[in-house]
Amino acid sequence: MTQSEQKAIVASAAIDALIEHGEIFSGMKIGLGTGSTAEPAVRHLAKRIADGTLKDVKAVVTSFGTQNLCEELEIPVFSMNDKIIGGHLDLTIDGADEVDPFNNVIKGGGAALLREKIVAYNSSKFVIVADSTKIVKTLGTGFRLPVEIIGEARVPVIAALNALGAECFLREGVRKCGPVITDNGNQLLDIVWKEPVDPAEMEDKINSIVGVVENGFFTKNKPTVFTMNEDTKVIARQV
Ligand code: 5RP
């Protein structure tokens, strides 16, 4: 099975299980993540709307990419600020770059971490879909942690991150000269440590640096993590 086949299987199974357990339901407000795992989850959600299982689902999206996908699939999209949403969601479903044994997560590989954290931290339930390659023992030394920054503050932010022991890399555009510009008009550093770090502590420390907008450690709203075990069984891990 390829990694993308696994993503699609786990994503569809997660949507169906959440419907079965009443955690995805008609009339709900749902946050939709970004990336190649979130996409099959959104597509499967759209199928369950089209087959009549779900009605009147209101989505808040986390990127232009997911906005376009919802337009294609005719899933109605709202802002967190719309009165009908009221700044709070019933559930958010998203992918991840890495997940540790305590369900701490690194996100932002697709540069959407800011809006992903806004929906995740303002949801009654947070769900991550992760193929088995995303499950790791520790965070900090593998996948580089994305940090969204104000471009004007790049040099002092890098100095402050270096003081926290991190090596920093400005994310460069592909077929676009210069840095990646996020959907929010900011730049991204991808940072890595020589030794594993405490993600909860680092999430707060990094966000206290002036010029940092948000970082990709998600430690505060612990997700249920749907993944696939060695027997190719889809499991839901809660801590
Ligand atoms: C986007 C994200 C994605 O969820 C993360 O990068 C995983 O991506 P994929 O599902 O394509 O492997 O955080 O900002």
Side-chain angles (χ1 to χ4, degrees), residues 3 7 33-39 94-98 106-114 116 128-129 131 134 143 146 171 218:
Q3 188 183 6
K7 287 178 183 187
T34 293
S36 59
T37 315
E39 177 172 343
D94 203 345
D97 296 300
E98 283 189 341
I106 287 183
K107 292 188 43 54
L113 70 100
L114 174 58
E116 289 174 335
I128 286 288
V129 179
D131 67 82
K134 308 287 182 60
F143 192 90
R171 197 180 298 184
F218 285 53

mmCIF file of all heavy atoms in Angstrom, residues 3 7 33-39 94-98 106-114 116 128-129 131 134 143 146 171 218, ligand 1:
data_model
loop_
_atom_site.group_PDB
_atom_site.id
_atom_site.type_symbol
_atom_site.label_atom_id
_atom_site.label_comp_id
_atom_site.label_asym_id
_atom_site.label_seq_id
_atom_site.Cartn_x
_atom_site.Cartn_y
_atom_site.Cartn_z
ATOM 1 N N GLN A 3 1.779 5.363 0.514
ATOM 2 C CA GLN A 3 1.453 6.302 1.589
ATOM 3 C C GLN A 3 0.152 7.047 1.264
ATOM 4 O O GLN A 3 -0.693 7.246 2.142
ATOM 5 C CB GLN A 3 2.615 7.297 1.753
ATOM 6 C CG GLN A 3 2.475 8.189 2.970
ATOM 7 C CD GLN A 3 3.594 9.218 3.064
ATOM 8 O OE1 GLN A 3 4.419 9.339 2.169
ATOM 9 N NE2 GLN A 3 3.622 9.957 4.160
ATOM 10 N N LYS A 7 -3.282 7.204 3.402
ATOM 11 C CA LYS A 7 -3.928 8.455 3.835
ATOM 12 C C LYS A 7 -5.421 8.422 3.518
ATOM 13 O O LYS A 7 -6.257 8.789 4.345
ATOM 14 C CB LYS A 7 -3.291 9.656 3.117
ATOM 15 C CG LYS A 7 -1.902 10.006 3.609
ATOM 16 C CD LYS A 7 -1.304 11.164 2.821
ATOM 17 C CE LYS A 7 0.125 11.438 3.290
ATOM 18 N NZ LYS A 7 0.722 12.622 2.698
ATOM 19 N N GLY A 33 -8.952 20.955 7.728
ATOM 20 C CA GLY A 33 -7.516 21.201 7.600
ATOM 21 C C GLY A 33 -7.054 21.263 6.160
ATOM 22 O O GLY A 33 -7.862 21.352 5.224
ATOM 23 N N THR A 34 -5.739 21.193 6.013
ATOM 24 C CA THR A 34 -5.099 21.409 4.712
ATOM 25 C C THR A 34 -4.073 20.308 4.469
ATOM 26 O O THR A 34 -3.380 19.894 5.407
ATOM 27 C CB THR A 34 -4.400 22.788 4.721
ATOM 28 O OG1 THR A 34 -5.411 23.792 4.807
ATOM 29 C CG2 THR A 34 -3.565 23.019 3.467
ATOM 30 N N GLY A 35 -3.954 19.885 3.201
ATOM 31 C CA GLY A 35 -2.892 18.941 2.854
ATOM 32 C C GLY A 35 -3.420 17.697 2.189
ATOM 33 O O GLY A 35 -4.630 17.555 1.955
ATOM 34 N N SER A 36 -2.505 16.774 1.909
ATOM 35 C CA SER A 36 -2.859 15.590 1.125
ATOM 36 C C SER A 36 -3.553 14.522 1.959
ATOM 37 O O SER A 36 -3.989 13.502 1.399
ATOM 38 C CB SER A 36 -1.601 15.012 0.455
ATOM 39 O OG SER A 36 -0.656 14.662 1.435
ATOM 40 N N THR A 37 -3.649 14.709 3.288
ATOM 41 C CA THR A 37 -4.462 13.814 4.117
ATOM 42 C C THR A 37 -5.818 14.462 4.395
ATOM 43 O O THR A 37 -6.853 13.774 4.397
ATOM 44 C CB THR A 37 -3.753 13.508 5.455
ATOM 45 O OG1 THR A 37 -2.387 13.203 5.201
ATOM 46 C CG2 THR A 37 -4.408 12.344 6.152
ATOM 47 N N ALA A 38 -5.787 15.770 4.635
ATOM 48 C CA ALA A 38 -7.059 16.480 4.855
ATOM 49 C C ALA A 38 -7.934 16.374 3.605
ATOM 50 O O ALA A 38 -9.163 16.247 3.709
ATOM 51 C CB ALA A 38 -6.790 17.940 5.212
ATOM 52 N N GLU A 39 -7.286 16.392 2.436
ATOM 53 C CA GLU A 39 -8.097 16.397 1.197
ATOM 54 C C GLU A 39 -9.019 15.171 1.079
ATOM 55 O O GLU A 39 -10.225 15.337 0.867
ATOM 56 C CB GLU A 39 -7.211 16.538 -0.051
ATOM 57 C CG GLU A 39 -8.061 16.476 -1.308
ATOM 58 C CD GLU A 39 -7.332 16.803 -2.596
ATOM 59 O OE1 GLU A 39 -6.233 17.394 -2.559
ATOM 60 O OE2 GLU A 39 -7.896 16.467 -3.660
ATOM 61 N N ASP A 94 -7.938 17.193 10.556
ATOM 62 C CA ASP A 94 -6.767 17.705 9.847
ATOM 63 C C ASP A 94 -5.712 16.596 9.751
ATOM 64 O O ASP A 94 -5.811 15.563 10.429
ATOM 65 C CB ASP A 94 -6.211 18.911 10.629
ATOM 66 C CG ASP A 94 -5.388 19.851 9.754
ATOM 67 O OD1 ASP A 94 -5.001 19.467 8.638
ATOM 68 O OD2 ASP A 94 -5.123 20.977 10.209
ATOM 69 N N GLY A 95 -4.688 16.827 8.956
ATOM 70 C CA GLY A 95 -3.536 15.939 8.896
ATOM 71 C C GLY A 95 -2.443 16.437 9.854
ATOM 72 O O GLY A 95 -2.653 17.383 10.610
ATOM 73 N N ALA A 96 -1.276 15.792 9.802
ATOM 74 C CA ALA A 96 -0.168 16.192 10.673
ATOM 75 C C ALA A 96 1.154 15.824 10.009
ATOM 76 O O ALA A 96 1.189 14.971 9.117
ATOM 77 C CB ALA A 96 -0.266 15.482 12.016
ATOM 78 N N ASP A 97 2.215 16.485 10.454
ATOM 79 C CA ASP A 97 3.552 16.125 9.970
ATOM 80 C C ASP A 97 4.207 15.098 10.888
ATOM 81 O O ASP A 97 4.891 14.198 10.406
ATOM 82 C CB ASP A 97 4.407 17.393 9.857
ATOM 83 C CG ASP A 97 3.826 18.331 8.820
ATOM 84 O OD1 ASP A 97 3.732 17.917 7.652
ATOM 85 O OD2 ASP A 97 3.431 19.449 9.175
ATOM 86 N N GLU A 98 4.009 15.256 12.193
ATOM 87 C CA GLU A 98 4.496 14.259 13.160
ATOM 88 C C GLU A 98 3.558 14.243 14.370
ATOM 89 O O GLU A 98 3.006 15.275 14.743
ATOM 90 C CB GLU A 98 5.922 14.596 13.639
ATOM 91 C CG GLU A 98 6.997 14.255 12.632
ATOM 92 C CD GLU A 98 8.422 14.395 13.186
ATOM 93 O OE1 GLU A 98 8.629 15.082 14.211
ATOM 94 O OE2 GLU A 98 9.326 13.831 12.578
ATOM 95 N N ILE A 106 3.169 18.066 15.372
ATOM 96 C CA ILE A 106 3.769 19.130 14.546
ATOM 97 C C ILE A 106 2.928 19.246 13.290
ATOM 98 O O ILE A 106 2.630 18.240 12.633
ATOM 99 C CB ILE A 106 5.236 18.828 14.164
ATOM 100 C CG1 ILE A 106 6.157 18.999 15.373
ATOM 101 C CG2 ILE A 106 5.693 19.765 13.026
ATOM 102 C CD1 ILE A 106 7.638 18.798 15.073
ATOM 103 N N LYS A 107 2.546 20.500 12.971
ATOM 104 C CA LYS A 107 1.810 20.777 11.747
ATOM 105 C C LYS A 107 2.424 21.994 11.058
ATOM 106 O O LYS A 107 3.178 22.738 11.654
ATOM 107 C CB LYS A 107 0.340 21.074 12.058
ATOM 108 C CG LYS A 107 -0.416 19.859 12.581
ATOM 109 C CD LYS A 107 -1.901 20.102 12.703
ATOM 110 C CE LYS A 107 -2.495 20.826 11.568
ATOM 111 N NZ LYS A 107 -2.230 20.221 10.242
ATOM 112 N N GLY A 108 2.047 22.191 9.804
ATOM 113 C CA GLY A 108 2.508 23.378 9.076
ATOM 114 C C GLY A 108 3.357 23.082 7.868
ATOM 115 O O GLY A 108 3.840 24.001 7.213
ATOM 116 N N GLY A 109 3.512 21.772 7.567
ATOM 117 C CA GLY A 109 4.269 21.408 6.365
ATOM 118 C C GLY A 109 3.679 22.027 5.110
ATOM 119 O O GLY A 109 4.386 22.307 4.144
ATOM 120 N N GLY A 110 2.374 22.248 5.130
ATOM 121 C CA GLY A 110 1.693 22.875 3.989
ATOM 122 C C GLY A 110 1.502 24.368 4.175
ATOM 123 O O GLY A 110 0.722 24.991 3.451
ATOM 124 N N ALA A 111 2.195 24.946 5.153
ATOM 125 C CA ALA A 111 2.228 26.397 5.403
ATOM 126 C C ALA A 111 0.899 26.954 5.906
ATOM 127 O O ALA A 111 0.686 28.165 5.847
ATOM 128 C CB ALA A 111 2.683 27.160 4.154
ATOM 129 N N ALA A 112 0.033 26.090 6.414
ATOM 130 C CA ALA A 112 -1.303 26.556 6.828
ATOM 131 C C ALA A 112 -1.478 26.540 8.347
ATOM 132 O O ALA A 112 -2.594 26.600 8.852
ATOM 133 C CB ALA A 112 -2.371 25.697 6.165
ATOM 134 N N LEU A 113 -0.361 26.471 9.094
ATOM 135 C CA LEU A 113 -0.463 26.206 10.533
ATOM 136 C C LEU A 113 -1.247 27.255 11.304
ATOM 137 O O LEU A 113 -1.904 26.929 12.293
ATOM 138 C CB LEU A 113 0.927 26.043 11.142
ATOM 139 C CG LEU A 113 1.784 27.318 11.216
ATOM 140 C CD1 LEU A 113 1.765 27.929 12.589
ATOM 141 C CD2 LEU A 113 3.196 27.012 10.802
ATOM 142 N N LEU A 114 -1.210 28.522 10.889
ATOM 143 C CA LEU A 114 -1.876 29.560 11.680
ATOM 144 C C LEU A 114 -3.390 29.335 11.692
ATOM 145 O O LEU A 114 -4.003 29.229 12.764
ATOM 146 C CB LEU A 114 -1.535 30.950 11.125
ATOM 147 C CG LEU A 114 -2.280 32.116 11.777
ATOM 148 C CD1 LEU A 114 -2.029 32.179 13.276
ATOM 149 C CD2 LEU A 114 -1.868 33.451 11.131
ATOM 150 N N GLU A 116 -4.859 26.664 10.801
ATOM 151 C CA GLU A 116 -5.115 25.324 11.353
ATOM 152 C C GLU A 116 -5.186 25.377 12.878
ATOM 153 O O GLU A 116 -6.012 24.702 13.497
ATOM 154 C CB GLU A 116 -4.028 24.351 10.894
ATOM 155 C CG GLU A 116 -4.151 24.017 9.403
ATOM 156 C CD GLU A 116 -3.024 23.165 8.868
ATOM 157 O OE1 GLU A 116 -1.911 23.182 9.427
ATOM 158 O OE2 GLU A 116 -3.242 22.491 7.850
ATOM 159 N N ILE A 128 -6.989 14.193 14.317
ATOM 160 C CA ILE A 128 -5.866 14.141 13.378
ATOM 161 C C ILE A 128 -5.929 12.809 12.631
ATOM 162 O O ILE A 128 -6.170 11.756 13.238
ATOM 163 C CB ILE A 128 -4.522 14.256 14.140
ATOM 164 C CG1 ILE A 128 -4.280 15.681 14.621
ATOM 165 C CG2 ILE A 128 -3.348 13.752 13.308
ATOM 166 C CD1 ILE A 128 -3.936 16.690 13.538
ATOM 167 N N VAL A 129 -5.705 12.882 11.331
ATOM 168 C CA VAL A 129 -5.555 11.673 10.516
ATOM 169 C C VAL A 129 -4.084 11.612 10.115
ATOM 170 O O VAL A 129 -3.559 12.572 9.538
ATOM 171 C CB VAL A 129 -6.452 11.732 9.262
ATOM 172 C CG1 VAL A 129 -6.256 10.481 8.419
ATOM 173 C CG2 VAL A 129 -7.915 11.895 9.655
ATOM 174 N N ASP A 131 -1.002 8.988 8.490
ATOM 175 C CA ASP A 131 -0.513 7.689 8.044
ATOM 176 C C ASP A 131 0.627 7.266 8.971
ATOM 177 O O ASP A 131 1.170 8.095 9.716
ATOM 178 C CB ASP A 131 -0.078 7.748 6.574
ATOM 179 C CG ASP A 131 1.126 8.629 6.379
ATOM 180 O OD1 ASP A 131 2.258 8.150 6.610
ATOM 181 O OD2 ASP A 131 0.959 9.811 6.016
ATOM 182 N N LYS A 134 3.905 9.103 10.075
ATOM 183 C CA LYS A 134 3.864 10.342 10.869
ATOM 184 C C LYS A 134 4.020 10.076 12.377
ATOM 185 O O LYS A 134 4.164 11.011 13.157
ATOM 186 C CB LYS A 134 2.536 11.076 10.632
ATOM 187 C CG LYS A 134 2.176 11.307 9.175
ATOM 188 C CD LYS A 134 3.030 12.373 8.570
ATOM 189 C CE LYS A 134 2.711 12.714 7.129
ATOM 190 N NZ LYS A 134 1.392 13.200 6.856
ATOM 191 N N PHE A 143 11.113 16.074 11.664
ATOM 192 C CA PHE A 143 10.455 17.065 10.811
ATOM 193 C C PHE A 143 10.698 18.459 11.395
ATOM 194 O O PHE A 143 10.497 18.696 12.590
ATOM 195 C CB PHE A 143 8.948 16.779 10.733
ATOM 196 C CG PHE A 143 8.265 17.575 9.661
ATOM 197 C CD1 PHE A 143 8.145 17.073 8.375
ATOM 198 C CD2 PHE A 143 7.761 18.847 9.934
ATOM 199 C CE1 PHE A 143 7.533 17.825 7.372
ATOM 200 C CE2 PHE A 143 7.158 19.596 8.935
ATOM 201 C CZ PHE A 143 7.050 19.086 7.657
ATOM 202 N N PRO A 146 7.603 24.198 11.633
ATOM 203 C CA PRO A 146 7.310 25.454 10.948
ATOM 204 C C PRO A 146 6.939 26.554 11.946
ATOM 205 O O PRO A 146 6.190 26.328 12.892
ATOM 206 C CB PRO A 146 6.111 25.099 10.065
ATOM 207 C CG PRO A 146 6.094 23.600 9.988
ATOM 208 C CD PRO A 146 6.612 23.157 11.322
ATOM 209 N N ARG A 171 11.883 29.197 4.704
ATOM 210 C CA ARG A 171 11.281 28.364 3.651
ATOM 211 C C ARG A 171 11.216 29.154 2.341
ATOM 212 O O ARG A 171 10.638 30.231 2.285
ATOM 213 C CB ARG A 171 9.884 27.888 4.047
ATOM 214 C CG ARG A 171 9.448 26.707 3.167
ATOM 215 C CD ARG A 171 8.087 26.192 3.491
ATOM 216 N NE ARG A 171 7.954 25.660 4.845
ATOM 217 C CZ ARG A 171 6.854 25.093 5.293
ATOM 218 N NH1 ARG A 171 5.792 24.963 4.492
ATOM 219 N NH2 ARG A 171 6.773 24.658 6.544
ATOM 220 N N PHE A 218 1.304 21.706 18.268
ATOM 221 C CA PHE A 218 -0.086 21.688 18.714
ATOM 222 C C PHE A 218 -0.133 20.778 19.945
ATOM 223 O O PHE A 218 -0.082 19.550 19.805
ATOM 224 C CB PHE A 218 -1.006 21.117 17.628
ATOM 225 C CG PHE A 218 -1.291 22.039 16.456
ATOM 226 C CD1 PHE A 218 -0.282 22.637 15.729
ATOM 227 C CD2 PHE A 218 -2.601 22.297 16.079
ATOM 228 C CE1 PHE A 218 -0.550 23.476 14.649
ATOM 229 C CE2 PHE A 218 -2.902 23.127 14.998
ATOM 230 C CZ PHE A 218 -1.869 23.726 14.286
HETATM 231 C C1 5RP B 1 -0.510 21.832 6.472
HETATM 232 C C2 5RP B 1 -0.360 20.748 7.475
HETATM 233 C C3 5RP B 1 -0.598 19.351 7.005
HETATM 234 O O1 5RP B 1 -1.631 18.800 7.767
HETATM 235 C C4 5RP B 1 0.676 18.557 7.199
HETATM 236 O O2 5RP B 1 1.733 19.218 6.538
HETATM 237 C C5 5RP B 1 0.527 17.144 6.664
HETATM 238 O O3 5RP B 1 0.416 17.196 5.274
HETATM 239 P P1 5RP B 1 0.034 15.927 4.409
HETATM 240 O O4 5RP B 1 -1.305 15.475 4.875
HETATM 241 O O5 5RP B 1 0.034 16.451 2.994
HETATM 242 O O6 5RP B 1 1.078 14.873 4.631
HETATM 243 O O7 5RP B 1 -0.074 20.949 8.621
HETATM 244 O O8 5RP B 1 -0.094 23.062 6.996
#
